[in-house]
Amino acid sequence: MKEFEQFKKIIQEKKSFILTTHVNPDADAIGAELALYYLLERNGKNVRIINHSPTPYYLEFLDHDNVIEQYSSDKHDEVIVNSDVHIFLDLNQLNRVVKMENVFRSNYKIKICIDHHQDPENFADLLIDDIQYTSTGEIIYDFIKFSRLTAIDNKVALCIYAAIMTDTGSFRFERTNSKTHLIAAELLKYDLEPREVYNQIYEQAPISRQKLLGRALNTLTLSRSGKIGYMLITQKDIKETGANESDVDGFVGYCLAMKDVKIGILFYELPNGFKMSFRSIGNISASKLASEFGGGGHFHASGARLYDADYQQYIIKVIDTAEKYVA
Ligand code: 5GP
Ligand code: MN
């Protein structure tokens, strides 16, 4: 891949690197960042991972060296401005870094985007993206093999395994193929237990999350056609259960997992707006639906965030729009 060639050259020529990922990061985001961090660090590079959001509690085990920093403009703008290369992982629209968007847009440095979502924004000097990949972690795996800039070891194997496991829905989504399993087979030669990784990520929830799920399920509604399932979480639910935004990961699946339902939507009220998670099946494009509201993502899993907007004024409009996709 000529992009890998170019990426390797940039790594060899430049000294300092900032890695970042999207708001509310998942295991692919964190795993890909850390795997690339180790590669760069081992090549003597000056590298920092600076993220908009904190690492969710269930992913802290991936960052056992505690290298991920949470962005604050006082602390980080200067180091961002003074670094040679900015690398964006698991996102392809710069607004996905929210409060960091401005400092990245207004300071010209080499920008590299490494991602596997649909419809990239044209902001990067080097775009390494392919929607055939299960995960950004898998792209990093291929780059490690291609570049030979580091060896896989226990730490890197764990990060990449967690990225692939979660972004394939534990090896069941459609992009899962024999290559995915061959990579997993190699990673399992290192010191990691599938059962243990799954348990860390999916089975360590605080009770607040399960209580929040109960509330969300209570709001579950079918649209007129019966083909759209949706639910709502408000800030009141968050406050009263003591849960937080990262606890909601996976909830939208319940909207879709019903007979005849083709689109699932989760509405989540933010302190300053709201976000939507979309899931679809068959030939229905969730990313296209999300793009109607300024968002994006994958064909079957997408989202959108609207700031300074009230979800109550949007629900009917969103459901009506989604009805067109299932008609
Ligand atoms: P989730 O519903 O799990 O938060 O996100 C599902 C997918 O949609 C993820 O792959 C994520 O990258 C994408 N996505 C979620 N929210 C947004 C958004 O506001 N903008 C864009 N472009 N993609 C999003
Ligand atoms: Mn991903």
Side-chain angles (χ1 to χ4, degrees):
M1 199 190 205
K2 75 173 189 310
E3 288 83 9
F4 276 178
E5 205 74 76
Q6 289 169 286
F7 186 29
K8 184 173 180 181
K9 195 156 171 275
I10 292 169
I11 292 175
Q12 286 165 334
E13 286 171 359
K14 300 293 172 182
K15 190 83 199 95
S16 55
F17 297 77
I18 301 290
L19 312 185
T20 194
T21 189
H22 54 83
V23 56
N24 199 18
D26 56 11
D28 186 29
I30 299 289
E33 282 186 311
L34 286 165
L36 184 58
Y37 174 94
Y38 290 123
L39 178 149
L40 292 168
E41 191 206 25
R42 290 166 192 172
N43 283 275
K45 305 298 168 179
N46 197 332
V47 48
R48 307 263 294 255
I49 302 178
I50 306 173
N51 290 343
H52 170 273
S53 310
T55 302
Y57 64 86
Y58 56 85
L59 297 177
E60 278 168 3
F61 77 106
L62 295 175
D63 184 19
H64 41 74
D65 296 324
N66 225 340
V67 297
I68 299 179
E69 302 169 60
Q70 191 187 354
Y71 174 73
S72 84
S73 115
D74 294 350
K75 206 165 138 198
H76 294 118
D77 281 356
E78 200 176 313
V79 47
I80 291 174
V81 170
N82 290 326
S83 62
D84 302 327
V85 184
H86 297 158
I87 305 181
F88 302 86
L89 293 135
D90 202 40
L91 66 88
N92 66 14
Q93 296 185 343
L94 209 42
N95 66 6
R96 300 276 289 140
V97 299
V98 194
K99 291 188 190 118
M100 302 171 78
E101 181 178 355
N102 189 39
V103 63
F104 285 124
R105 280 209 199 275
S106 54
N107 289 282
Y108 179 73
K109 298 286 158 179
I110 297 173
K111 287 186 176 55
I112 303 177
C113 172
I114 307 176
D115 183 63
H116 67 133
H117 294 97
Q118 312 245 347
D119 305 322
E121 176 191 343
N122 183 14
F123 72 87
D125 304 287
L126 175 60
L127 177 63
I128 304 177
D129 86 326
D130 185 340
I131 60 166
Q132 300 305 322
Y133 274 99
T134 58
S135 53
T136 307
E138 187 188 335
I139 303 178
I140 300 298
Y141 174 90
D142 272 6
F143 179 69
I144 291 172
K145 292 288 163 180
F146 168 88
S147 69
R148 298 166 184 264
L149 287 173
T150 186
I152 307 274
D153 65 359
N154 288 338
K155 278 188 199 175
V156 172
L158 175 65
C159 289
I160 294 173
Y161 183 86
I164 294 176
M165 184 195 84
T166 53
D167 261 29
T168 57
S170 304
F171 302 98
R172 73 187 203 283
F173 294 162
E174 59 200 336
R175 276 176 284 185
T176 310
N177 56 27
S178 80
K179 182 190 169 210
T180 323
H181 282 280
L182 285 169
I183 295 173
E186 191 199 330
L187 298 176
L188 289 175
K189 292 177 188 158
Y190 297 86
D191 182 25
L192 68 90
E193 286 290 332
R195 170 81 220 136
E196 199 39 45
V197 181
Y198 187 93
N199 176 268
Q200 287 276 0
I201 296 178
Y202 293 121
E203 297 173 332
Q204 299 290 330
I207 190 166
S208 53
R209 177 184 191 268
Q210 318 297 54
K211 296 276 187 200
L212 184 67
L213 176 61
R215 286 191 180 216
L217 289 171
N218 259 318
T219 72
L220 187 56
T221 308
L222 285 177
S223 70
R224 282 191 305 283
S225 65
K227 293 180 186 170
I228 302 161
Y230 59 98
M231 58 193 194
L232 169 68
I233 295 172
T234 62
Q235 280 296 305
K236 187 165 177 278
D237 296 320
I238 294 292
K239 288 199 187 89
E240 289 177 4
T241 56
N244 63 47
E245 190 185 338
S246 68
D247 286 326
V248 176
D249 210 36
F251 284 13
V252 64
Y254 289 95
C255 299
L256 192 60
M258 289 182 286
K259 188 166 161 28
D260 299 328
V261 170
K262 305 232 172 341
I263 295 179
I265 307 174
L266 172 72
F267 293 90
Y268 180 96
E269 186 187 15
L270 296 162
N272 56 345
F274 71 101
K275 72 168 187 177
M276 296 176 281
S277 285
F278 300 99
R279 297 292 184 271
S280 65
I281 55 170
N283 58 7
I284 298 166
S285 172
S287 58
K288 191 153 177 282
L289 176 56
S291 74
E292 299 210 27
F293 300 96
H298 303 291
F299 193 85
H300 286 141
S302 65
R305 282 170 184 260
L306 280 83
Y307 294 106
D308 304 316
D310 182 353
Y311 70 86
Q312 298 183 57
Q313 287 166 358
Y314 275 87
I315 289 188
I316 293 173
K317 193 161 131 196
V318 172
I319 302 303
D320 284 348
T321 307
E323 288 283 19
K324 292 186 201 139
Y325 286 69
V326 295

